[in-house]
Amino acid sequence: MIQNMLLLHLSDIHFRAGQIGTAMDPNGHLRSELLRDAQVQCQRIGRAPDAVLVSGDIAFAGAKAEFEYATDWLKTLCGACGTTLGSVFVIPGNHDVVRSVASKPVVQSLHQSIKAAQPIALNGIISGLLSDEDAKSALYEALGPYNTFAGQFFCDLLPPERTRATRDLYFQDGSILRMTGLNSAFVSSASDTPGSLFVDPASFQLERLPGVEHLVLCHHPYSWLGNGKALSDFLHDVARVHLFGHEHTNRILPARDFVSVAAGAAHPDHEEPNWEPGYNLLELEVEGVGTDRYLTVAVHVRVWQANPGQFIAKQDRGADAFQSRIALSPWIKPENTVVAQPAAAESTQADAAAPEEGADPMDSLRDISVRFFRLTVSQRSAIAGKLNLIEDEDANQPDFERSRRVFLRARERNLVEALDREVSAAGQ
């Protein structure tokens, strides 16, 4: 069981094709310093991150090369901090959208039908479009490269049933921290303005369950969402930790029942006023038992200081971390029972049972998955075919969805070890 949970939180990295990996990369030194600081801070705290959370804008223009570079850099970051690439959990931002696709007339027409909807009809219109084969394909086409990237972490999105990503971590008392990533970029394009974006109705379906505490990631803050007020009211009731990106300014709002963190950008534009790159580390722990339980949250905000150049702690009244203590509902893990799991269509869990040792049963699959996605499409197809993990129904699915189904079938058919051996052999 996790005693003191540690989460590394990044946002707005903006890997930009034409700059990344070149001698003229304006952020090369900054990334190197972030790696160095994150490694030092994890060593100081005394543990590796249990998850590396990226709240959108991984890429700059949604390009395949940008996501490929992101995978390599995140692997280096994870290694420096003592964890694996499989710990990464991502959501999309507006820069992860391919703008040339989002600007197509048919896509813009769909966007306008959502933006023009009256509040009482909004959820019905979004649900209808995300359930229609042609409309959902058009709305999500611009996220194609993102989904290929996110698929290796089982964070890919496919409407209508999988419009949010979900993963569980386990506290020391057996209770769950359920991480849910929302998609606020499916109506994003070059014409984004505050209030013009939306989350879909599934974002309002987090359940308050015994022994489950929610952490939610959404790239866009409430002010950028046309249904932001409704989302704010809902999340304030059900989620203990809220993480946002997009605005490049770090802010922390501690409330009685939740902590909200607006992240700074790992790579803000150098011409932005008050340029302040940063990232966050969050320590979470459940204290007490039964009727006397609390969630303690310590947010370490690391910001770049110039002259001398280094990452330093943003302080709260002289302290190097922002501390919150939130009262939790009474709960004791019942013997021989399980903690409730997410809905099957969205879950990245292996089955309905919580694992005995408090580990996510998809951990081993993610470690295989990140290696599987490093292979060529032909290598992946050959492995899936050899193990009979491809079905006729997969023919019209995007590549990331076919890969997901390969892993789900391998798990269902007790072929995970065989899949691991084939991936390892192909990667040599």
Side-chain angles (χ1 to χ4, degrees):
M1 297 293 181
I2 295 172
Q3 295 296 321
N4 194 23
M5 191 180 294
L6 180 63
L7 307 176
L8 174 58
H9 175 215
L10 299 160
S11 193
D12 298 78
I13 314 176
H14 303 138
F15 289 113
R16 188 168 188 166
Q19 293 182 350
I20 49 178
T22 72
M24 298 297 179
D25 185 345
N27 294 307
H29 172 69
L30 180 64
R31 281 197 303 274
S32 177
E33 289 296 304
L34 193 155
L35 286 170
R36 179 176 176 273
D37 189 72
Q39 180 179 31
V40 170
Q41 294 307 310
C42 289
Q43 291 172 346
R44 180 186 62 79
I45 292 171
R47 65 173 300 111
D50 300 286
V52 175
L53 313 179
V54 188
S55 53
D57 280 4
I58 297 100
F60 181 80
K64 177 183 177 183
E66 294 169 345
F67 289 117
E68 290 174 344
Y69 189 91
T71 297
D72 290 337
W73 187 80
L74 287 169
K75 182 178 181 181
T76 301
L77 172 67
C78 290
C81 295
T83 188
T84 67
L85 188 58
S87 68
V88 171
F89 184 80
V90 298
I91 60 170
N94 50 289
H95 278 278
D96 299 315
V97 170
V98 181
R99 294 283 178 87
S100 60
V101 176
S103 64
K104 291 179 179 179
V106 65
V107 178
Q108 285 297 301
S109 176
L110 293 171
H111 287 188
Q112 289 305 316
S113 67
I114 293 173
K115 294 176 181 180
Q118 294 299 312
I120 194 170
L122 179 64
N123 282 349
I125 289 175
I126 294 176
S127 295
L129 292 175
L130 292 181
S131 298
D132 178 83
E133 288 297 325
D134 293 333
K136 73 180 184 182
S137 295
L139 285 169
Y140 266 65
E141 182 185 359
L143 286 170
Y146 166 81
N147 267 329
T148 298
F149 163 77
Q152 62 191 315
F153 313 117
F154 300 122
C155 294
D156 49 300
L157 305 170
L158 188 66
E161 296 301 324
R162 204 170 69 243
T163 60
R164 59 188 189 184
T166 304
R167 186 182 302 178
D168 286 351
L169 297 175
Y170 291 81
F171 288 111
Q172 75 279 1
D173 65 349
S175 62
I176 282 178
L177 178 71
R178 179 153 295 157
M179 304 188 300
T180 300
L182 309 182
N183 180 8
S184 61
F186 71 100
V187 190
S188 177
S189 69
S191 60
D192 292 353
T193 56
S196 70
L197 300 171
F198 298 86
V199 293
D200 65 76
S203 302
F204 297 86
Q205 300 306 315
L206 278 67
E207 294 184 80
R208 285 193 282 192
L209 298 167
V212 176
E213 307 302 334
H214 291 284
L215 177 151
V216 174
L217 293 88
C218 184
H219 178 68
H220 292 93
Y222 301 122
S223 61
W224 282 80
L225 305 176
N227 50 0
K229 177 60 167 60
L231 183 66
S232 171
D233 290 344
F234 174 70
L235 292 183
H236 289 176
D237 287 340
V238 303
R240 303 300 187 183
V241 182
H242 313 163
L243 302 179
F244 300 95
H246 188 63
E247 292 187 334
H248 302 183
T249 302
N250 61 70
R251 297 183 304 278
I252 297 179
L253 173 62
R256 186 192 67 177
D257 297 323
F258 65 88
V259 176
S260 180
V261 180
H267 284 168
D269 191 303
H270 285 258
E271 296 181 0
E272 288 184 19
N274 302 315
W275 182 72
E276 189 181 62
Y279 73 99
N280 304 314
L281 288 158
L282 289 80
E283 292 185 87
L284 292 82
E285 185 173 12
V286 172
E287 297 179 348
V289 296
T291 59
D292 187 28
R293 299 173 66 243
Y294 295 87
L295 175 66
T296 62
V297 182
V299 183
H300 303 265
V301 180
R302 305 293 296 175
V303 296
W304 181 252
Q305 169 192 278
N307 300 321
Q310 60 184 338
F311 281 94
I312 62 172
K314 174 163 280 193
Q315 293 196 332
D316 180 31
R317 298 179 179 178
D320 285 349
F322 295 76
Q323 303 275 352
S324 294
R325 193 167 187 257
I326 302 167
L328 301 180
S329 299
W331 183 78
I332 297 176
K333 183 180 180 180
E335 295 184 5
N336 302 319
T337 60
V338 299
V339 177
Q341 300 296 321
E346 296 176 344
S347 173
T348 55
Q349 301 300 302
D351 51 43
E356 292 182 4
E357 297 302 322
D360 183 339
M362 289 297 280
D363 284 346
S364 60
L365 277 184
R366 273 192 297 274
D367 288 336
I368 302 170
S369 177
V370 295
R371 290 185 282 118
F372 184 75
F373 271 79
R374 307 285 278 191
L375 304 178
T376 65
V377 173
S378 60
Q379 285 176 311
R380 286 182 284 186
S381 296
I383 291 172
K386 181 178 180 179
L387 298 178
N388 295 314
L389 296 174
I390 292 289
E391 303 289 349
D392 291 343
E393 64 191 39
D394 302 336
N396 296 322
Q397 296 299 321
D399 181 59
F400 66 86
E401 175 63 12
R402 289 196 298 270
S403 296
R404 170 184 279 266
R405 294 182 180 192
V406 165
F407 279 88
L408 295 179
R409 291 185 185 120
R411 183 191 64 190
E412 293 166 357
R413 300 171 187 178
N414 296 317
L415 291 173
V416 172
E417 291 184 4
L419 180 59
D420 189 11
R421 287 194 298 270
E422 295 294 334
V423 171
S424 297
Q428 291 179 350

